[in-house]
Amino acid sequence: MDKPKVVLGVSGGIAAYKACELLRRLTESGHDVQVVPTESALHFVGEATWAALSGKPVATGVWKSVQDVPHVRIGQQADLVVVAPATADLLARAAHGLADDLLTNTLLTARCPVVFAPAMHTEMWEHPATRENVATLRRRGATVVEPAVGRLTGVDTGRGRLPDPARLFDVCRRVLARGNRATDLAGRHVVISAGGTREPLDPVRFLGNRSSGRQGYALATTAAARGARVTLVAANSALADPEGVTVVRAGTALELREAVLMAAADADAVVMAAAVADFRPAVYAEGKIKKREGSGPAPIELVRNPDILAELSAERGREGQVVVGFAAETDQVLANGRAKLARKGCDLLVVNEVGAEKTFGSTDNEAIVLAADGTEVPVPHGPKEALADTVWDLVVDRLTGGTPG
């Protein structure tokens, strides 16, 4: 089979040196990479380095090897174009369709997925001009990865740092695998809940569960990569906020319900991946509950929490909204899942088996996605991002009226 053809565009920022690591990962994993730097990029990393690492000659202008028409052919033949780092200047030129060097010509002729990985100072990233340029590129179907927060040039720290090359490689791999569906959530608003709610007993104790939030965070990350505007309602998770995602904090089931319902009002899809407590203490003790000498613990009366998934399914925030639930089961997994799907009234239900050393806190998962129309889609054991992409595939099918599954 032919190797996937990747164009690695490099613009003139100090983070250009990190693109060498991205190039190495792409070439070593079997991709055919053509590096197209800007003239400014060569001030940071020289032409010889790019040529040695890629095994191909490097040019910045359109006048080299004119007989091969590189300003057209490179983009036409690419399976993916990724620009890392993408400076504020490069984003502006790309958004406005300028073509004054080989890289911007390539961006205009490419009909494959395009990924931009911005890197710049925080003030430049937050400037209205840059934000409008990013919005324009995303609206046209490009994937613009949110920059990371960290040390910048000099003593400055803030948002604007090039994401880790390993993460960028993972984004490229997923975008390549998705092909024309790489940005199929562009223009959509999706709401995801993640983590586990905690119901306080007293100032120091609570009723909780083992959920780490990893699956919900994977859903948020993959949705953002596919172009969605993402609201993540996170309950008691220690994970770092996904880049490019609006994160709303919640602690209890009641707090999570309020946040989800508010965000879901204009959402195209809502995915309830959080582990929500079914019950909460009827009475909150203002002081720490003490042990009683010579007797057992005092009984704790519980009351039922609202059924958020059923409420979302019954009262959709907007016409055509897709609602997805999760069912964590320990036995009779499929039977319990099918019963829950019928009871909740959602469109899709992701059913998986959980336990103390299974699923919770793991980077991998496996599940069966049950649909209201009776179809079932098994997802084999693998990264939680793979399950997330399957869920979004099924959501997009329903949003666009395609063939489910």
Side-chain angles (χ1 to χ4, degrees), residues 239-264:
L239 300 174
D241 291 353
E243 293 161 11
V245 169
T246 299
V247 180
V248 179
R249 305 291 176 190
T252 67
L254 293 179
E255 291 170 353
L256 186 133
R257 172 185 176 273
E258 181 180 0
V260 168
L261 291 180
M262 181 177 298

Side-chain angles (χ1 to χ4, degrees), residues 124-143:
M124 300 172 75
W125 173 249
E126 294 178 346
H127 194 282
T130 303
R131 304 309 297 162
E132 288 180 17
N133 291 332
V134 168
T136 296
L137 292 169
R138 284 174 170 162
R139 189 168 59 249
R140 292 175 185 162
T143 297

Side-chain angles (χ1 to χ4, degrees), residues 24 37 43 112 117 133 144 149 255 262 266 277 297 337 353-354 363 373 380 385 387:
R24 184 187 67 80
H43 286 283
C112 59
N133 291 332
V144 182
V149 176
E255 291 170 353
M262 181 177 298
D266 69 341
E353 187 175 357
V354 299
T363 57
D373 61 13
E385 288 80 7
L387 173 57

Side-chain angles (χ1 to χ4, degrees), residues 367-403:
I368 296 179
V369 185
L370 306 179
D373 61 13
T375 58
E376 300 181 2
V377 179
V379 182
H381 185 84
K384 287 184 173 177
E385 288 80 7
L387 173 57
D389 268 325
T390 298
V391 171
W392 292 127
D393 287 346
L394 297 171
V395 168
V396 169
D397 286 337
R398 283 153 179 79
L399 289 173
T400 59
T403 302

Side-chain angles (χ1 to χ4, degrees), residues 327 329 332-346 349 351 370:
E329 301 291 345
Q332 301 183 49
V333 175
L334 270 181
N336 287 335
R338 292 185 183 111
K340 183 173 183 177
L341 176 64
R343 189 169 65 251
K344 303 293 185 180
C346 51
L349 187 73
V351 184
L370 306 179

Side-chain angles (χ1 to χ4, degrees), residues 5-9 23 32-37 54 56-59 74 102:
K5 292 181 172 60
V6 177
V7 174
L8 173 58
L23 172 57
D32 180 357
V33 186
Q34 173 72 60
V35 180
V36 182
S54 67
K56 293 187 175 186
V58 171
I74 293 175
L102 187 56

